[in-house]
Every structure is written in structure tokens, then in C-alpha cells.
Amino acid sequence: MINKLVANIKKTNAPIVVGLDPMLNYVPEHIKTAAYEQFGETLEGAAEAIWQFNKEIIDNTYDLIPAVKPQVAMYEQFGIEGLKAFKKTVDYCKAKDLVVIGDIKRGDIGSTSEAYAVGHLGKVTVGSKQYAAFDEDFVTVNPYLGTDGVKPFVDVCKAENKGIFVLVKTSNKSSGEFQDRLIDGKPLYEYVGEMVNKWGEDAMGDEYSMVGAVVGATYPEMGKILRKVMPKAYILVPGYGAQGGKASDLKPYFNEDGLGAIVNSSRGIIAAYKMEKYQSFSEKEFGLASRQAVVDMIEDINGAVFG
Amino acid sequence: MINKLVANIKKTNAPIVVGLDPMLNYVPEHIKTAAYEQFGETLEGAAEAIWQFNKEIIDNTYDLIPAVKPQVAMYEQFGIEGLKAFKKTVDYCKAKDLVVIGDIKRGDIGSTSEAYAVGHLGKVTVGSKQYAAFDEDFVTVNPYLGTDGVKPFVDVCKAENKGIFVLVKTSNKSSGEFQDRLIDGKPLYEYVGEMVNKWGEDAMGDEYSMVGAVVGATYPEMGKILRKVMPKAYILVPGYGAQGGKASDLKPYFNEDGLGAIVNSSRGIIAAYKMEKYQSFSEKEFGLASRQAVVDMIEDINGAVFG
């Protein structure tokens, strides 16, 4: 699957991923009204609204982008109905040939991580049958529990040709509280980066490993170091745009082959129609606004990184 | 809710929690056969089997115990159908007046942690309505992202009278890879413990904080230190029994008031009927075997800790 991600990036010439993190206040009124008319102001109504919202954005952007990253929390908050919309979104994106990165940030002791890995990347056995429950292509994984918690994901990746991105240095403001603490003069995130490199060694695709890393766009100096620590890890870069990360800072996240990083934007794409920059688009044209935001983001990133 | 947890522990005189982490190979054949006859060897059939299994165990143990801890991964691996069984289990346990600790180990950047907190502990807004989607009493939280990732859970706890247990020192073998690293001579888990104490300061119940901690039974020396670092945090202790933690090691996890810790056992209770010790119970009597295992665990813990 890492090979497909690389192929999709080369094909689109767009090292970006669209974060499908729908909040109800991003969803245009006409979509909410239609959903609530059909299902009422219920969890089902909310799930229908975010699904219709996603579908319009995907339809308007899929030909330009290699991948999407639905954030499961935004669906999980609506319970079972929300998770049905998550699953529909995963399936729809895969049918459009997009690589789907489930942003689930799971991680637990061995047998439990195995259940998450099976449920999101692999197949669960029921009697004589097997089923892929959520079936994303990649998921994000939290490393706090160490190798025990990550290894079951790597094993499923190898068996099923899937991939993971391990949290190394996250984009948020307080990420340094623990991640930046110095251990013998070296920050914790660097130790985690070294382990990502190690976990990924025997799970290689053609050029890159099935084990990638999350490094926030908001910490470019650290991105530069981590790029060297994990040469074969694809870096998923959150924090561009709405969170404050600038394209001009992103060059160090890429390798000299022009590959090795994929930059996420969520709000900046899916809620583009709410931004002053895209006010020429009406609320009903939110999909077109998202398309334009994708075009602009690709130009911004490629200009700064490869220009 | 921390007050209710304390009250339930005092009432039952049982500082224990039963981990409802059903694996299909724990479920007796007659339950699987009945579920598959009704729904086939499908995700729905698997979900029905684990639900019926849980129900029998709860019916046979609820009067003896203060709380249960369903591990969401074991349900999530069966997708939407599995999560319906999770929700049914949560609701059923609450109706039996048990405190429900959702073992979800979530944690993300602020807005995303907020969505998890809303979905699992709080209420989500849909138009003019509000809904509690999963509605556990407590959840477990991963601290790797720092205060940003934990604070939204604390805020929802205060608004909704709920609680969290933050992963501090986990019970698994490789937990030391990152958690034990020394920072200025002090291990990372101790820094996390200090933050748990701080996060919990303004979220107090009567005697204990709404912000508790997870500290594995497998590391009693660390438990002793962490007890002192976080005097007001209830400690959820996994790793007893099947994972190797012994009752004789657990005294340091408790405060002098005889409170402050709650010890989890999953496999050792729910799959008791498979153990040599409980072979006098037939497979169909698995609920009774679980009940006996609960009685034995309470005696074991109370004897070692308070004896």
C-alpha cells in the first residue's frame, strides 16, 4: 500500500492529503436541512449530513489528490451512526482509487493492539469466515506503550499490504510537554523516530517502508532532524494551514527524491467556502471551493518545496 | 462519578473491576452456535455471541463488583456490529448500577480529543438536540500529546460528572521503552504522573479526583512512587492475574484510607471456566465460574492488601 501511496503521489504530482474531519458547523445549511428533514435532528441525521458533505468534497477533489485522511473522532462522536458514515466514507474513497489513512491514533498492549489492527487494517475471523471491518489502507498509531503496542500493527501491515504512521512529533502546542523532554541530551521524539526506523526495517515497500511517521508542520527544525533519523519512513505532516504550518517550512520533510512526505490539510480544504479567500463561491458551491483550495494548496506546497 | 466509584467500592468491599474484553475463543460453543444459527457466521453473529457472553457474566457477577471495564478494541474489531455490542454492554452494566470504564485509550490534538470526550463521556449537539453517544462513566486516555490532548476530557468530566484514567505506566513488557526513560534522573512516567496530579487538581470529587491514572500491577516499585506523586488520583491497575501481577505486590497502590486503587482482571474472570482451577464448572456454567473467580479475586486482593 505504501507503493500505491507513492504511485498516487507521483501520478497527481500532489504530496498532499485531504483531512475529512467534518464538524457539523462546517456543513452547509442546505445539506443539514435535507438530512434533518429525512432523519430528524438525530444522530442518524447528523451522520447523513456529514456523509453528504464528504461525498460532495470527494466528488470535487478526488482526481487531484492521492489520499484522504478521515479523522475517526469526528464520526465516533455521533456513535454508531457516525461510525457508519465513517465506513461509508472509507469505502467511497477507496472506490475512487484514493489511499485512505484512518486517523485513529490507537495503541494498546499487544493483544489489544492486535484487535485494533485486525479491525482497521486486517480481517477478523468469525467461525470459518473472515471479514474486513473498517478496512482502511493506513492508520495512525500511538507509540506510548512501546514495541508491544506497535508490532501487531506492523504484522498486519505485512500480511495485508497495509501501512501505519506512528505519532513521533505531533503538531499541537503542548506536544513538547513529553515529546521534547531530553533523555541523555536527545529528545524523546528522536528516540521514537529511531524506533519507527527500526520497526519499519523489515516491512519495506519498493522505496519506502510500510511504517511511516507523523511529524507536525509546526516544528520544521525537528522535521529536518527526523527526516534523517527515519530515511525510509514516509512522513505524514499535519498542521499545515489552519494550524499555522507554512509551505516554506516543509522542504526539510522531503527526501532528495522529492518524495517522503505527504502534507495534510483538513479545515483549510473542507471548510474553504467559509474563508474570505473563497468568498466568490456560494455556500452551495462548497465543493468547488474545496477543489480550488486543493489546487491552491498543491501550488503552494510544490512551489515552496520543489520551486 | 468518582464519588460513585468510591461508594460502589465501599459497598461491595471489592477494589476490583472486571475487564469485559471478550475474544471469540473465550465464548463457549453453545453461545456461538446459537448466535451463528440466528445471524450466520457474520460480524452480526460474532457481535451477538460476545453480547450474550457478556450478559451472562454480568448477570452472575454484578452484585459483587463495583465496576466493569469493557475494552473497546475487542468490539471495534467486529466493526459497526461489534460497536453495537459495546454500546449494549455499557447500557446493560449501567442499568445494573455498575460504574463503566470504557477502555478506549484515546488522545489527540485539542479539537479532536474534544470530539472523543463528547462522544464517550459527554453529549453531542445536533441542531437543537443533544445526544450521549456511548455514555461511559470513565474512559482511559493516552497522554502522549500533552495537556492539549487531555484537557478536553477533563472539561467534559467536570461538566458531566464523569472521569478519566490517564495512562502513566502501562502493564505491558515493553512499556519501559519510552515510559521509563530518564529525564534529569527522573523517569518519564513520573513526569506524566505529576501532570495527572496537576490536571486533577481542579476536578476534585469528595475524596478523589475525576482524573485518575493507569499504573500496571506488573511494576509495583513504580506503583509505590506514583502513589505518592498522585495522592488524589484513583489508580486503575491492569496486569493482575493472567498478565503476571500478584496481589501481594498491590499494597503500595492503595492509600492509607484503604482506597485509591481498583484492580482489573479480564481473562482471569471472563474465561475462568477454561482454567484448571475452575474445571468443576462445565462450559455451560461459565457464568458461575466467573462468579467464583470474582469471589476468589476479592479474597486474594483484600487478603494481601488489607490482611
Side-chain angles (χ1 to χ4, degrees):
Chain A
M1 195 49 66
I2 183 66
N3 293 343
K4 183 175 174 179
L5 179 64
V6 171
N8 272 13
I9 292 169
K10 286 178 178 169
K11 188 176 71 186
T12 55
N13 192 28
I16 72 160
V17 51
V18 172
L20 295 172
D21 311 356
M23 312 259 276
L24 272 183
N25 62 350
Y26 297 168
V27 180
E29 286 306 323
H30 71 282
I31 289 191
K32 282 191 278 202
T33 304
Y36 296 162
E37 266 172 19
Q38 198 177 354
F39 298 105
E41 287 180 344
T42 60
L43 294 173
E44 206 177 352
E48 172 68 11
I50 61 176
W51 156 241
Q52 292 297 340
F53 176 67
N54 282 352
K55 190 172 171 298
E56 182 84 9
I57 288 166
I58 299 157
D59 287 344
N60 277 280
T61 57
Y62 76 93
D63 57 317
L64 301 175
I65 59 175
V68 292
K69 181 176 75 64
Q71 166 52 261
V72 73
M74 298 304 167
Y75 304 82
E76 203 167 310
Q77 67 181 327
F78 300 109
I80 303 294
E81 296 301 328
L83 286 158
K84 286 185 194 166
F86 175 78
K87 177 60 179 149
K88 265 201 252 185
T89 300
V90 170
D91 290 345
Y92 193 74
C93 291
K94 287 174 71 172
K96 295 279 187 192
D97 209 35
L98 292 164
V99 169
V100 177
I101 303 166
D103 197 353
I104 65 172
K105 294 189 178 66
R106 305 299 197 247
D108 208 300
I109 64 167
S111 54
T112 310
S113 268
E114 190 184 333
Y116 281 130
V118 156
H120 285 275
L121 298 174
K123 296 188 195 79
V124 70
T125 301
V126 182
S128 58
K129 306 275 176 58
Q130 287 204 311
Y131 297 93
F134 287 107
D135 209 17
E136 297 105 301
D137 297 317
F138 284 80
V139 294
T140 54
V141 172
N142 186 307
Y144 190 66
L145 287 91
T147 299
D148 294 348
V150 177
K151 194 64 178 19
F153 285 97
V154 179
D155 291 342
V156 171
C157 286
K158 290 198 284 187
E160 304 280 347
N161 184 26
K162 299 279 178 109
I164 57 173
F165 294 98
V166 178
L167 304 189
V168 174
K169 172 67 190 173
T170 57
S171 61
N172 60 310
K173 221 173 153 183
S174 72
S175 68
E177 277 176 18
F178 305 124
Q179 297 166 25
D180 294 2
R181 301 309 288 255
L182 293 179
I183 298 151
D184 299 329
K186 203 157 56 172
L188 175 62
Y189 61 75
E190 214 175 311
Y191 284 95
V192 179
E194 287 171 4
M195 290 303 287
V196 164
N197 197 51
K198 195 176 147 194
W199 292 323
E201 267 171 7
D202 73 333
M204 284 295 296
D206 289 341
E207 299 160 274
Y208 284 90
S209 173
M210 296 174 192
V211 181
V214 173
V215 183
T218 39
Y219 301 102
E221 286 306 313
M222 302 176 188
K224 195 171 172 176
I225 291 162
L226 287 165
R227 177 67 288 165
K228 294 198 182 96
V229 169
M230 319 171 289
K232 295 296 181 192
Y234 234 87
I235 300 180
L236 172 63
V237 189
Y240 165 85
Q243 282 185 55
K246 293 192 206 83
S248 55
D249 290 333
L250 296 177
K251 203 175 167 72
Y253 295 77
F254 289 80
N255 275 321
E256 287 185 3
D257 58 5
L259 296 167
I262 185 163
V263 183
N264 180 74
S265 178
S266 301
R267 223 179 321 163
I269 304 291
I270 68 175
Y273 79 96
K274 293 197 158 212
M275 297 162 69
E276 213 186 307
K277 187 174 176 188
Y278 300 108
Q279 62 181 350
S280 64
F281 295 96
S282 73
E283 194 166 308
K284 290 205 167 170
E285 293 169 326
F286 71 97
L288 293 173
S290 292
R291 184 177 180 84
Q292 188 57 48
V294 165
V295 169
D296 293 347
M297 179 179 173
I298 294 170
E299 197 187 302
D300 186 36
I301 304 272
N302 283 345
V305 176
F306 308 112
Chain B
M1 195 49 67
I2 182 66
N3 293 344
K4 181 173 175 180
L5 180 64
V6 172
N8 273 13
I9 292 169
K10 286 178 179 170
K11 189 176 72 186
T12 54
N13 192 28
I16 72 159
V17 51
V18 171
L20 296 171
D21 310 359
M23 313 258 276
L24 272 183
N25 62 350
Y26 297 169
V27 179
E29 287 305 323
H30 70 282
I31 290 192
K32 281 191 279 202
T33 304
Y36 296 162
E37 266 173 19
Q38 197 175 357
F39 298 104
E41 287 180 344
T42 60
L43 294 173
E44 207 177 349
E48 171 68 10
I50 61 176
W51 156 242
Q52 293 297 343
F53 177 66
N54 282 351
K55 190 172 169 299
E56 182 83 9
I57 288 167
I58 299 158
D59 286 344
N60 278 282
T61 57
Y62 76 93
D63 57 315
L64 301 175
I65 58 175
V68 291
K69 181 175 75 64
Q71 166 53 260
V72 72
M74 296 304 166
Y75 305 82
E76 203 167 308
Q77 66 181 331
F78 300 109
I80 303 294
E81 296 301 328
L83 287 158
K84 285 186 195 167
F86 176 79
K87 176 62 179 146
K88 265 200 254 184
T89 300
V90 170
D91 290 347
Y92 192 74
C93 292
K94 287 173 70 171
K96 296 278 188 194
D97 208 37
L98 293 165
V99 169
V100 177
I101 302 166
D103 197 353
I104 64 172
K105 295 192 177 64
R106 305 299 196 247
D108 208 300
I109 64 168
S111 54
T112 310
S113 269
E114 191 185 332
Y116 281 129
V118 157
H120 286 275
L121 298 174
K123 296 187 192 80
V124 70
T125 301
V126 181
S128 59
K129 305 276 176 56
Q130 286 203 313
Y131 298 93
F134 287 107
D135 209 17
E136 298 105 301
D137 297 318
F138 284 80
V139 294
T140 54
V141 172
N142 185 307
Y144 190 67
L145 287 89
T147 299
D148 295 348
V150 177
K151 193 68 177 19
F153 285 97
V154 180
D155 291 343
V156 170
C157 286
K158 290 198 282 187
E160 304 280 347
N161 183 27
K162 299 278 178 109
I164 58 174
F165 293 97
V166 179
L167 304 188
V168 173
K169 172 65 189 174
T170 56
S171 60
N172 59 311
K173 218 172 155 185
S174 72
S175 69
E177 277 177 19
F178 304 126
Q179 297 166 26
D180 293 2
R181 300 309 288 253
L182 293 180
I183 297 151
D184 299 330
K186 203 157 57 173
L188 175 62
Y189 62 75
E190 213 175 312
Y191 284 96
V192 178
E194 287 171 4
M195 291 303 287
V196 164
N197 198 51
K198 195 176 148 193
W199 293 323
E201 267 171 8
D202 73 332
M204 283 297 295
D206 289 341
E207 300 160 273
Y208 284 90
S209 172
M210 297 174 193
V211 181
V214 173
V215 183
T218 38
Y219 301 102
E221 286 305 312
M222 302 177 189
K224 195 171 174 177
I225 291 162
L226 287 165
R227 176 67 288 166
K228 294 199 181 96
V229 169
M230 319 172 291
K232 295 294 179 193
Y234 235 86
I235 300 181
L236 172 63
V237 188
Y240 165 85
Q243 281 185 59
K246 293 191 206 79
S248 54
D249 290 333
L250 296 176
K251 202 174 168 72
Y253 295 77
F254 289 80
N255 276 320
E256 287 183 4
D257 57 5
L259 297 167
I262 185 163
V263 182
N264 180 73
S265 178
S266 300
R267 224 179 320 163
I269 304 291
I270 68 174
Y273 80 94
K274 292 196 158 215
M275 297 161 68
E276 213 185 308
K277 187 174 176 188
Y278 301 107
Q279 62 181 349
S280 64
F281 296 95
S282 73
E283 192 165 310
K284 289 205 169 171
E285 294 169 325
F286 70 98
L288 293 172
S290 293
R291 184 177 179 85
Q292 189 56 49
V294 164
V295 169
D296 293 345
M297 180 180 173
I298 295 171
E299 196 187 303
D300 186 35
I301 304 273
N302 284 345
V305 175
F306 308 114

